[in-house]
Amino acid sequence: MAEQRGSVSLKSFTKWPFKDDFEIRVEQGQVVWAKCKFCSVILRETYINEAKRRGLKGKALSGTVSYSDGVTYIHRTNFAKHVGDAKSLHSWAKNRVGG
């Protein structure tokens, strides 16, 4: 299966309220890769254990937490889902790291 790619312009990305939570790679004015600054520094086992404790399923438990490794599918709704609210796994990681 081919890698799914998506992009958004850097100009649009910089308007997102959660933009500072991600490292990005830009090519020709488009954000083509992003990685969560907070989730990526938490040990995978610790992250997965916290996901299990919260009753989460899917990618969080598969060992392939994509925002920890970097993604090429760049869309605001997906990033907003990752960031979530104050009770999200992302917020837990951000608080743990001290962000």
Side-chain angles (χ1 to χ4, degrees):
M1 185 174 192
E3 181 179 357
Q4 194 174 28
R5 291 186 59 90
S7 65
V8 65
S9 71
L10 179 60
K11 184 177 178 179
S12 292
F13 187 87
T14 58
K15 294 177 184 175
W16 296 357
F18 41 79
K19 68 184 178 306
D20 295 330
D21 289 0
F22 296 91
E23 295 176 32
I24 61 171
R25 185 176 312 133
V26 178
E27 294 176 4
Q28 298 176 352
Q30 299 289 310
V31 178
V32 296
W33 177 87
K35 179 171 81 170
C36 180
K37 291 178 182 178
F38 304 104
C39 296
S40 63
V41 296
I42 302 290
L43 289 174
R44 186 172 301 265
E45 183 178 343
T46 303
Y47 193 92
I48 291 170
N49 286 339
E50 181 63 17
K52 285 179 183 177
R53 190 185 74 73
R54 292 165 177 258
L56 299 178
K57 299 178 182 176
K59 287 185 179 182
L61 298 181
S62 70
T64 58
V65 183
S66 58
Y67 289 97
S68 293
D69 301 327
V71 296
T72 58
Y73 194 67
I74 315 298
H75 291 280
R76 183 181 175 137
T77 53
N78 292 347
F79 279 67
K81 285 179 191 175
H82 172 74
V83 172
D85 61 18
K87 295 181 181 179
S88 71
L89 194 55
H90 170 80
S91 291
W92 167 83
K94 190 172 182 176
N95 288 332
R96 187 173 175 108
V97 172

